[in-house]
Amino acid sequence: MSYELIAILMFLSMLLLLSTGQRVFGAIGFVASAAALLLYGTGGVEMPFSQAFKLFNWFPMLTLPLFIYMGYVLSESGIAEDLYRMFHVFFGRMPGGLAIGTVLLMVIISAMNGLSVAGMAIGATIALPEMLRRGYDKVLISGVVQGGSSLGILIPPSVVLVLFGMIARAPVSQLWLAGVFPGLIMATMFLLYIWLRCRLNPALAPVVDDEELNMPLRDKLRLLSAGVIPLLIFFFMTGLFVMGYTSLVESSAVGATSATLAALYKHRLSWSVFHETAKKTLAVSCMFLWLILAALAFGAIFDGIGASRAIESLFISRWDVNPWTLIILMQLSFIVMGMFLDDTAMLVIVAPLYIPLVKSLELGIGNQIVWYGILYTITCQIAYITPPFGYNLFLMRSLAPKEITLVDIYRSIWPFALMMVITIALLMIFPQIALWLPQQIRLRG
């Protein structure tokens, strides 16, 4: 049997198992283990086994549970609610001020957690009811929550970029730095869109009453101090890393410790909060560890039979496909897969095929795999909110108030998806948007 046919059978077997509703890591890990035994005999069991120890020896993996823990401490202790109240008071008089504050809130919370789920949960349960009560347009605000929460997987410290770095053998610190400017550009576009649309049509976002915003200066300062705590945590965690004072793992420890001390300072670190935080952190961390282990095992078998090099030869040598056309086709495939799978599952499935292919393309871009990691992450954001089966669409429906229907959610995401596409186009035309900051930090070091 040819290597190409073996590769096709492995992918088809994996997709067949996934279609039965099996857990992603179980389906991928089973195909990897079965292929190892069939191709290499009993000695093939060493390949998945060795990948397990490779995973446990990868030091940056310690950042995953620490970042996840930090995000859940802030969420469960109510510190995130303090931050929203601060934005509510200080942005209430602007056109679309509460929506703008919601985007800023979710950018900070999602970035601290490294996942889009945390930002969406806080936005849907705290911000949406408040904005609905004040007469905000439900289509606008549902799009705001989905768009804002998606930024959490791009702005550091992003768990998705940690996973990409692990599977692609790319430096996580470089991926983090590369995500800063694209994330800020996209967030700025979101904020300008909200402000401009609400200014042109004030009925979409009524200004908050003066009675609600007119409070004594002492109360405003107390509210400001409560809201500043998460910002200080973010600064100490990310700022110290960017300035070179802490390593990747040390910055995650700084963030987790700072969040715990903040909860203690606010007298909100009760046993129930700690228990709920630990339980959720363990569940999410274990899920990611199993997925990465399955991906490494599958990749080892796939690369071991030479399938990656065969596919690379097919696209580049035989078919002579233009490299940029190939990149665009890869991005489109992520959008299609994202209608049915989450970002981690997508990465696990296509990493053995796409990552070697990207490394071999002659695009004239330095640090090419880091640049592609940012493209992949933004495309995942688009896939998450793309009908009919985008992952975040149904998560949003389960969290949002009953007044917001699935049709409202579908209608709300198109402007934000378009702005994400514009960001991808900018990155393809001007790769230095992503690569300039990593280059400067590396030169300084």
Side-chain angles (χ1 to χ4, degrees):
M1 186 180 294
S2 67
Y3 294 149
E4 290 88 348
L5 185 56
I6 293 173
I8 292 171
L9 285 175
M10 287 179 66
F11 268 107
L12 290 178
S13 301
M14 179 175 59
L15 293 174
L16 179 63
L17 286 175
L18 288 172
S19 67
T20 63
Q22 299 296 322
R23 293 186 182 274
V24 174
F25 74 85
I28 297 171
F30 174 79
V31 172
S33 302
L37 290 172
L38 290 172
L39 292 171
Y40 303 105
T42 54
V45 75
E46 296 293 332
M47 297 183 74
F49 184 74
S50 67
Q51 296 304 314
F53 277 91
K54 184 182 295 185
L55 175 64
F56 296 140
N57 287 329
W58 194 60
F59 203 53
M61 188 55 66
L62 291 171
T63 61
L64 276 178
L66 289 172
F67 285 139
I68 294 167
Y69 166 84
M70 176 181 58
Y72 279 123
V73 165
L74 295 173
S75 175
E76 296 295 327
S77 64
I79 294 176
E81 294 182 37
D82 294 340
L83 186 61
Y84 181 71
R85 281 197 291 270
M86 184 192 77
F87 285 134
H88 172 197
V89 170
F90 286 93
F91 287 90
R93 289 189 173 89
M94 289 179 61
L98 295 185
I100 289 172
T102 300
V103 171
L104 295 173
L105 167 75
M106 290 185 297
V107 167
I108 295 169
I109 299 301
S110 296
M112 288 179 175
N113 186 264
L115 300 165
S116 65
V117 176
M120 176 166 288
I122 292 170
T125 56
I126 298 174
L128 275 184
E130 288 294 314
M131 289 189 285
L132 282 173
R133 186 168 66 84
R134 290 169 171 81
Y136 271 60
D137 181 73
K138 59 183 181 178
V139 174
L140 172 68
I141 60 177
S142 61
V144 165
V145 170
Q146 291 181 90
S149 64
S150 67
L151 294 168
I153 66 173
L154 183 62
I155 297 174
S158 166
V159 171
V160 173
L161 289 177
V162 173
L163 298 177
F164 183 90
M166 176 64 187
I167 295 173
R169 304 290 193 273
V172 175
S173 59
Q174 297 284 299
L175 287 164
W176 269 16
L177 294 169
V180 171
F181 284 135
L184 293 177
I185 287 171
M186 205 169 353
T188 302
M189 283 196 288
F190 290 177
L191 296 175
L192 288 174
Y193 164 76
I194 295 167
W195 179 83
L196 184 60
R197 190 172 177 198
C198 293
R199 189 173 180 83
L200 294 175
N201 187 1
L204 295 175
V207 177
V208 178
D209 294 336
D210 286 342
E211 293 182 4
E212 192 172 355
L213 299 181
N214 288 335
M215 61 174 63
L217 180 61
R218 179 185 301 175
D219 293 341
K220 282 190 176 183
L221 292 175
R222 188 182 298 117
L223 188 63
L224 181 63
S225 64
V228 163
I229 287 177
L231 299 177
L232 289 175
I233 295 172
F234 184 71
F235 168 76
F236 283 121
M237 176 186 61
T238 308
L240 292 176
F241 169 71
V242 171
M243 290 185 290
Y245 292 109
T246 59
S247 67
L248 177 69
V249 178
E250 289 168 347
S251 67
S252 65
V254 168
T257 305
S258 301
T260 305
L261 292 175
L264 281 170
Y265 172 74
K266 302 288 289 184
H267 304 290
R268 296 178 183 175
L269 192 62
S270 63
W271 172 252
S272 61
V273 167
F274 183 78
H275 179 264
E276 193 66 22
T277 297
K279 184 172 68 174
K280 290 181 177 180
T281 300
L282 180 64
V284 176
S285 300
C286 289
M287 177 192 71
F288 278 121
L289 285 171
W290 276 112
L291 276 168
I292 296 171
L293 176 58
L296 290 174
F298 188 91
I301 308 302
F302 196 80
D303 192 53
I305 62 175
S308 298
R309 288 182 291 277
I311 293 171
E312 175 187 328
S313 174
L314 177 65
F315 278 102
I316 298 175
S317 301
R318 297 186 197 173
W319 290 357
D320 193 24
V321 177
N322 182 281
W324 288 104
T325 303
L326 204 53
I327 290 289
I328 294 171
L329 290 174
M330 290 179 187
Q331 302 306 99
L332 291 175
S333 71
F334 276 130
I335 292 177
V336 174
M337 284 189 291
M339 297 179 185
F340 309 95
L341 301 167
D342 62 36
D343 51 8
T344 311
M346 285 192 289
L347 180 59
V348 167
I349 289 171
V350 302
L353 170 61
Y354 284 7
I355 288 173
L357 204 54
V358 170
K359 290 179 178 178
S360 67
L361 294 176
E362 296 181 3
L363 298 171
I365 297 174
N367 217 349
Q368 199 158 283
I369 197 64
V370 170
W371 168 80
Y372 184 74
I374 304 304
L375 283 190
Y376 156 78
T377 305
I378 298 175
T379 309
C380 284
Q381 294 173 304
I382 298 172
Y384 265 22
I385 60 175
T386 303
F389 303 112
Y391 181 79
N392 273 14
L393 296 175
F394 294 101
L395 181 62
M396 175 72 175
R397 182 64 196 92
S398 66
L399 294 171
K402 293 181 180 179
E403 300 96 305
I404 297 178
T405 66
L406 192 59
V407 174
D408 295 328
I409 294 170
Y410 279 0
R411 290 173 54 203
S412 70
I413 53 86
W414 297 112
F416 296 90
L418 178 60
M419 285 182 274
M420 293 175 187
V421 171
I422 292 171
T423 306
I424 290 178
L426 288 173
L427 282 172
M428 295 178 76
I429 298 170
F430 307 106
Q432 286 301 111
I433 293 174
L435 299 179
W436 181 83
L437 186 59
Q439 288 172 354
Q440 296 305 309
I441 300 296
R442 188 167 53 190
L443 290 172
R444 189 189 307 168

